Amino acid sequence: MALLVRLLAFALALALGPAGTLAGPAKSPYQLVLQHSRHRGRQHGPNVCAVQKVIGTNKKYFTNCKQWYQRKICGKPTVISYECCPGYEKVPGEKGCPAALPLSNLYETLGVVGSTTTQLYTDRTEKLRPEMEGPGSFTLFAPSNEAWASLPAEVLDSLVSNVNIELLNALRYHMVDRRVLTDELKHGMALTSMYQNSNIQIHHYPNGIVTVNCARLLQADHHATNGVVHLIDKVISTITNNIQQIIEIEDTFETLRAAVAASGLNTLLEGDGQFTLLAPTNEAFEKIPAETLNRILGDPEALRDLLNNHILKSAMCAEAIVAGLSMETLEGTTLEVGCSGDMLTINGKAIISNKDILATNGVIHFIDELLIPDSAKTLFELAAESDVSTVTDLLRQAGLSTHLSGNERLTLLAPLNSVFKDGAPRIDAQMKNLLLNHVVKGQVASKDLYRGQTLDTLGGKKLRVFVYRNSLCIENSCIAAHDKRGRYGTLFTMDRILTPPMGTVMDVLKGDNRFSMLVAAIQSAGLTETLNREGVYTVFAPTNEAFQAMPPEELNKLLGNAKELANILKYHIGDDILVSGGIGALVRLKSLQGDKLEVSSKNNVVSVNKEPVAETDIMATNGVVYAITSVLQPPANRPQERGDELADSALEIFKQASVFSKASQRSVRLAPVYQRLLERMKH
């Protein structure tokens, strides 16, 4: 037994090596996906890989974890089959694929991997077969039989009609004069082919897909005695033009060509790099209103933002997209690039009409719809596309729409359409002024707002900013969605119509007949000056109905005792401004009396100390008023709570007495103390 342990330790030491760690070289994304496929196929025997096949097609994919559970490729259902992993074969009577494929030269390996058509065309040339069978070290990206069959007839005819020049050159372009395995195929690299040293573009994506000039690797790393064979799904051709040159020669890019020249982006598009250009066709430009197009084309900054929104930061071949993914543009926005069957989609729309046009510095996909970023839009265009179109209609009716389409730096506080569910208000002078107070001077970003900040409106008001743990509010209205920053203006989506303050808390109360008894009580208690001066108050204002609901004797006693009345009223005044949108589930707000008020919100109903509020967010210059239908009692005045406190005191005494009794082994007589506590609790 001891000998066995020592042997195991020695074997482990050999496995770990000098570093003493199990960590080996980092696996490439392709190798990780192959490893996952092997893991899923292990129950069927050694070297069996699970493969996902798209139903109704011949497309197969080694499966990653996400695809395994979703069982879909580009939205299409798949079935799982089990095949020998690359480099292995079945043995009659044995489970799985236990045998490694015998090594042979490149030419013979073509037959093993399913590229017999490549073998056939190799035979037709005079020079290539001896080279594939001879000494050396090569990499061959071999098109599958299906890839050759899918070539247009005229292309295939031109190749086979001149086998020792055209066909030979085409096959040599698929070869590299050294052995290159998938772990060496890095994203964005270029390999030098054996045809005039022309480059082959390699892309190795995080989802494990590897492309060669946008042809997908179907099976990789098939070793041969003189190199390695990778099976690919297309016949690839040489790349000669950069993105800018392709724009110059394509008739369908006439408008794009003029736009690129006007923006100065031609230098970028003809330089080094690996980009994806989502190239809008002439038809795409024709779809937008002429006024909008002319405005953007005449504005260099908006034009540059528009074009940058069509350029992805890295090359993305169509074959690499098997599910939705987010990709960043040069403009800084994020586009959702996905697929539906054989169609590529952008932000869920199948607007790509031609894909995988290769350039020396990237790839081009033709699109038939413009992707206009927010940064190139007017406030009017931003609002028209959002859930706030009602307010833009009101601004138009009020003759104020020029503020939304001009070059003024403004911020629109736009209430959601749902706020107007009972119908849009009638436009009059008062409504026009209210609309102007929804337009803030200057282009503001919500991330720059802070507590205590004031914003000047076109209507002449100063609006206050309130910052809460989970809300950012301007007066009574809170921001309901991420702001949209346009060319000159910013759009804030707000959860309600904004009501600017019209006076102090005292002015608000005096101007509302519901609070006449409260106003008289405030004056009697000497709190008028407090509620008139500058401050930050939240006032839970009992209506006349609330006072009248009190027993007459209790009400008369309260009103006749100025000190007690002031104490009760101060309990109704919080020492900070809390609008309803900032409440969340529960907020404990300290009152001027000293005790805390429990303010909660559930199902759009605001309560204070569990009493529903009749009206919220009546804004004042020094606070906010909530109308309530009951008079709140401080904790010290609540009989039940007073009894609970005394009971807690009695319990604490008993606990201490018990500890003392155990320690001293003597009896402790607490009956007189307990009796006095009970008597106090009764009162």
Side-chain angles (χ1 to χ4, degrees):
M1 183 67 180
L3 177 61
L4 178 60
V5 170
R6 286 197 296 272
L7 288 172
L8 287 172
F10 178 72
L12 181 60
L14 287 176
L16 291 174
T21 174
L22 288 170
K27 285 183 166 58
S28 69
Y30 172 83
Q31 290 170 324
L32 289 173
V33 169
L34 185 61
Q35 178 178 293
H36 181 266
S37 289
R38 185 188 291 269
H39 173 75
R40 293 296 180 183
R42 69 191 187 283
Q43 61 185 350
H44 294 274
N47 306 313
V48 174
C49 285
V51 177
Q52 282 187 274
K53 181 179 179 181
V54 181
I55 295 175
T57 73
N58 290 322
K59 287 189 172 183
K60 295 180 181 180
Y61 297 81
F62 292 119
T63 178
N64 61 30
C65 188
K66 184 177 180 180
Q67 292 165 0
W68 174 264
Y69 288 107
Q70 291 184 344
R71 299 293 168 96
K72 287 185 177 181
I73 300 290
C74 287
K76 300 298 182 182
T78 63
V79 293
I80 303 295
S81 62
Y82 297 92
E83 302 176 358
C84 290
C85 296
Y88 294 91
E89 64 179 351
K90 291 180 175 295
V91 173
E94 298 284 336
K95 186 177 181 181
C97 306
L101 287 169
L103 283 184
S104 53
N105 58 51
L106 284 179
Y107 177 82
E108 292 177 357
T109 303
L110 288 173
V112 174
V113 302
S115 188
T116 53
T117 305
T118 306
Q119 275 185 321
L120 173 66
Y121 289 138
T122 298
D123 283 335
R124 291 194 181 184
T125 67
E126 296 178 359
K127 301 178 181 179
L128 197 55
R129 179 170 178 176
E131 195 167 358
M132 285 189 181
E133 293 178 328
S137 181
F138 307 101
T139 297
L140 174 57
F141 295 104
S144 65
N145 295 337
E146 292 81 3
W148 286 106
S150 65
L151 274 180
E154 61 273 15
V155 174
L156 194 57
D157 287 345
S158 69
L159 293 176
V160 298
S161 63
N162 194 347
V163 292
N164 287 318
I165 297 178
E166 296 296 335
L167 183 59
L168 177 63
N169 290 341
L171 290 171
R172 280 187 174 278
Y173 182 63
H174 288 73
M175 296 179 68
V176 177
D177 64 354
R178 64 186 181 90
R179 185 191 302 262
V180 185
L181 302 177
T182 50
D183 59 354
E184 194 181 340
L185 297 177
K186 306 299 183 184
H187 191 71
M189 75 180 296
L191 294 175
T192 302
S193 77
M194 291 174 60
Y195 169 66
Q196 296 184 352
N197 292 327
S198 299
N199 281 343
I200 301 172
Q201 298 290 346
I202 303 296
H203 293 98
H204 196 149
Y205 298 94
N207 61 6
I209 289 178
V210 181
T211 62
V212 182
N213 283 12
C214 284
R216 179 168 66 93
L217 253 67
L218 302 177
Q219 293 185 37
D221 296 339
H222 281 277
H223 291 273
T225 55
N226 56 347
V228 63
V229 175
H230 304 292
L231 188 69
I232 58 177
D233 71 345
K234 291 184 182 72
V235 178
I236 61 175
S237 56
T238 56
I239 308 168
T240 55
N241 294 325
N242 59 47
I243 292 175
Q244 178 62 30
Q245 289 170 328
I246 294 174
I247 293 174
E248 293 289 344
I249 61 178
E250 283 286 344
D251 292 338
T252 191
F253 292 149
E254 183 181 355
T255 309
L256 175 62
R257 190 157 53 242
V260 169
S263 69
L265 280 175
N266 49 321
T267 303
L268 173 75
L269 297 179
E270 64 189 11
D272 294 334
Q274 282 292 304
F275 304 107
T276 299
L277 175 63
L278 304 171
T281 61
N282 295 336
E283 180 187 356
F285 282 99
E286 291 166 1
K287 286 182 179 179
I288 68 171
E291 181 183 353
T292 301
L293 178 59
N294 292 334
R295 176 184 61 79
I296 294 175
L297 292 176
D299 182 343
E301 185 172 334
L303 179 58
R304 193 173 186 87
D305 285 348
L306 171 70
L307 295 177
N308 279 336
N309 199 51
H310 290 75
I311 304 173
L312 303 180
K313 288 185 173 181
S314 61
M316 178 57 68
C317 296
E319 284 294 335
I321 301 169
V322 294
L325 70 159
S326 298
M327 298 201 67
E328 189 176 358
T329 69
L330 291 187
E331 200 274 327
T333 60
T334 298
L335 299 178
E336 293 297 323
V337 182
C339 53
S340 178
D342 291 331
M343 297 183 297
L344 284 187
T345 61
I346 305 294
N347 294 338
K349 296 181 179 180
I351 60 175
I352 294 180
S353 54
N354 195 2
K355 57 191 178 184
D356 287 347
I357 310 303
L358 285 167
T360 56
N361 55 349
V363 60
I364 299 176
H365 305 297
F366 293 28
I367 62 172
D368 54 18
E369 187 174 307
L370 271 185
L371 307 170
I372 306 177
D374 289 347
S375 58
K377 295 176 183 175
T378 64
L379 261 177
F380 191 86
E381 290 164 348
L382 288 176
E385 299 170 357
S386 306
D387 294 331
V388 295
S389 55
T390 302
V391 78
T392 61
D393 292 338
L394 291 172
L395 285 161
R396 188 191 297 110
Q397 293 172 34
L400 302 173
S401 58
T402 53
H403 293 296
L404 303 185
S405 55
N407 56 8
E408 292 178 89
R409 295 287 181 183
L410 299 171
T411 300
L412 176 63
L413 310 178
L416 287 161
N417 291 339
S418 57
V419 172
F420 302 97
K421 59 185 177 182
D422 295 328
R426 185 174 60 87
I427 299 297
D428 54 21
Q430 184 178 358
M431 187 61 198
K432 183 174 181 178
N433 190 58
L434 180 60
L435 288 170
L436 284 172
N437 284 322
H438 281 74
V439 185
V440 171
K441 296 177 182 178
Q443 192 172 10
V444 181
S446 61
K447 65 181 181 180
D448 297 327
L449 297 179
Y450 57 89
R451 188 178 184 84
Q453 184 179 6
T454 57
L455 306 173
D456 294 319
T457 73
L458 294 184
K461 291 290 184 182
K462 286 187 178 294
L463 306 178
R464 296 161 296 179
V465 176
F466 304 120
V467 180
Y468 303 102
R469 184 173 296 277
N470 295 309
S471 302
L472 182 58
C473 306
I474 300 171
E475 293 298 337
N476 63 303
S477 187
C478 299
I479 296 175
H482 293 295
D483 39 305
K484 293 177 175 286
R485 188 174 180 87
R487 176 66 179 92
Y488 294 103
T490 298
L491 176 70
F492 285 2
T493 302
M494 311 302 291
D495 66 355
R496 65 197 70 196
I497 297 173
L498 187 141
T499 54
M502 303 302 292
T504 66
V505 168
M506 205 63 203
D507 293 332
V508 169
L509 296 176
K510 286 181 178 180
D512 194 326
N513 291 332
R514 292 178 297 172
F515 304 122
S516 58
M517 292 183 70
L518 174 61
V519 170
I522 289 171
Q523 292 170 340
S524 298
L527 294 175
T528 303
E529 183 181 349
T530 299
L531 297 181
N532 263 328
R533 67 185 178 213
E534 287 187 12
V536 285
Y537 305 117
T538 297
V539 179
F540 294 96
T543 61
N544 295 341
E545 178 187 351
F547 283 105
Q548 292 164 359
M550 294 178 66
E553 301 82 3
E554 187 176 334
L555 177 60
N556 291 334
K557 182 180 178 182
L558 176 63
L559 296 178
N561 186 336
K563 184 177 180 180
E564 180 63 19
L565 179 60
N567 187 61
I568 291 288
L569 292 178
K570 285 181 179 178
Y571 183 62
H572 288 72
I573 305 171
D575 66 354
D576 198 0
I577 295 179
L578 177 64
V579 298
S580 62
I583 294 172
L586 176 67
V587 173
R588 301 187 74 218
L589 181 65
K590 186 178 180 181
S591 71
L592 298 187
Q593 177 263 354
D595 288 315
K596 291 187 176 180
L597 297 156
E598 292 191 353
V599 189
S600 60
S601 179
K602 185 177 182 180
N603 298 328
N604 295 320
V605 176
V606 175
S607 300
V608 56
N609 291 352
K610 300 181 181 179
E611 294 291 334
V613 170
E615 184 179 351
T616 65
D617 299 331
I618 308 171
M619 304 308 295
T621 55
N622 58 346
V624 60
V625 176
Y626 291 77
I628 59 175
T629 56
S630 60
V631 177
L632 305 176
Q633 296 293 329
N637 291 5
R638 300 178 203 162
Q640 181 62 42
E641 293 193 19
R642 187 164 66 249
D644 291 344
E645 290 173 5
L646 294 172
D648 289 342
S649 299
L651 181 61
E652 184 61 29
I653 291 173
F654 279 123
K655 286 180 180 177
Q656 293 178 10
S658 175
V659 172
F660 178 76
S661 176
K662 289 177 181 177
S664 62
Q665 298 298 313
R666 291 189 311 222
S667 128
V668 179
R669 298 183 178 278
L670 291 172
V673 178
Y674 180 56
Q675 187 63 37
R676 286 197 299 274
L677 285 170
L678 288 177
E679 289 174 359
R680 288 178 62 192
M681 289 168 64
K682 289 178 182 178
H683 292 88

